[in-house]
Amino acid sequence: VQMVQSGPEVRQPGSSVNVSCKASEGTFSSYTINWIRQAPGQGLEWMGRIIPILGISNYAQKLQGRVTMTADKSTMTVYMGLTRLRSEDTAVYYCARAGPYGMDIWGQGTTVTVSS
Amino acid sequence: DIVMTQSPLSLPVTPGEPASISCRSSQSLLHNNGDNYLDWYLQKPGQSPQLLIYLGSKRASGVPDRFRGSGSGTEFTLEIRSVEADDVGVYYCMQALQTPPYMYTFGQGTKLEIK
């Protein structure tokens, strides 16, 4: 079982980014997918989650209005989109599957750099 | 938002000695189903985080039994019975309370280092 994320991204301030996370079929139908980010030298920050099979999502208060999580059932891929990027959004972004037993499988992380 | 507070933030430990990390929640994580929705994660240097403990006290698959989670409500503890060199990294508690609005939060992290 793996969660495979897309490659590194570099964006200018004010632009948007989409990060993908491909899951196995069992993961897509039976788990939620969470997104967590980690700014350089900082701790973990939970961003939100999506129930892929239903397309229902919940977002952290501070990111509401800028973050959108979607799921493509045909490719078993979950996407995290972040708009109006600023330098503080520079971070490693992780996806992780969560079931009744915690977030047990994590992606390898995707580095997003916001710089002019 | 539920605020998670860990202590200490830095934990130097001699190999073979025990270690303990405290995690306090601003709201009770005890669900009316009897489960405490508190997890512990370890992020080793240069790696993605890994699950150690879920539902407050249940060890994840493959986690050695020298790791023990305990607590209920708003007070939780992660104990390592005998620290090994491989335990180095940052330990995070996270609340995952399964009630609306389904917003989770991590503690600040505790950095464990070997003396």
Side-chain angles (χ1 to χ4, degrees):
Chain A
V1 178
Q2 288 187 95
M3 310 283 285
V4 181
Q5 299 184 222
S6 50
E9 303 274 8
V10 179
R11 292 285 185 272
Q12 291 198 332
S15 67
S16 302
V17 71
N18 258 292
V19 180
S20 69
C21 173
K22 185 167 174 60
S24 62
E25 184 170 2
T27 291
F28 205 82
S29 58
S30 304
Y31 294 81
T32 66
I33 306 296
N34 289 252
W35 287 91
I36 300 98
R37 69 179 180 179
Q38 185 171 39
Q42 303 300 308
L44 301 174
E45 178 186 12
W46 183 82
M47 300 178 66
R49 68 167 202 170
I50 183 168
I51 305 172
I53 203 71
L54 299 176
I56 296 173
S57 54
N58 307 95
Y59 305 130
Q61 189 96 21
K62 70 175 279 190
L63 293 173
Q64 286 187 13
R66 289 206 301 138
V67 67
T68 304
M69 296 174 189
T70 57
D72 183 338
K73 295 175 191 176
S74 66
T75 60
M76 291 183 291
T77 302
V78 171
Y79 297 89
M80 186 284 299
L82 193 59
T83 61
R84 304 194 301 276
L85 290 168
R86 35 213 194 217
S87 58
E88 310 89 88
D89 295 317
T90 293
V92 177
Y93 289 75
Y94 296 100
C95 63
R97 82 168 192 182
Y101 313 121
M103 295 193 287
D104 62 345
I105 305 292
W106 291 63
Q108 80 276 22
T110 296
T111 300
V112 174
T113 303
V114 182
S115 174
S116 54
Chain B
D1 285 12
I2 298 176
V3 177
M4 306 299 293
T5 304
Q6 288 182 231
S7 63
L9 299 185
S10 178
L11 185 56
V13 184
T14 300
E17 292 295 303
S20 179
I21 301 170
S22 171
C23 178
R24 183 172 296 176
S25 170
S26 62
Q27 296 179 34
S28 177
L29 303 182
L30 179 60
H31 194 276
N32 56 21
N33 65 7
D35 288 327
N36 282 283
Y37 284 89
L38 186 285
D39 303 330
W40 289 96
Y41 296 88
L42 164 60
Q43 186 175 31
K44 296 183 178 180
Q47 296 185 18
S48 300
Q50 61 188 80
L51 176 66
L52 292 176
I53 302 287
Y54 62 94
L55 296 178
S57 62
K58 302 184 188 310
R59 272 189 305 276
S61 176
V63 174
D65 63 6
R66 55 201 178 77
F67 288 90
R68 178 176 175 267
S70 63
S72 184
T74 61
E75 302 275 347
F76 298 88
T77 302
L78 176 69
E79 295 171 303
I80 308 172
R81 188 175 64 241
S82 175
V83 169
E84 299 182 1
D86 190 49
D87 299 335
V88 162
V90 183
Y91 291 78
Y92 296 92
C93 62
M94 190 197 85
Q95 67 82 10
L97 195 55
Q98 297 299 302
T99 54
Y102 300 100
M103 291 184 189
Y104 308 154
T105 40
F106 285 94
Q108 316 99 299
T110 296
K111 186 173 185 179
L112 186 148
E113 60 179 28
I114 298 295
K115 279 185 184 175

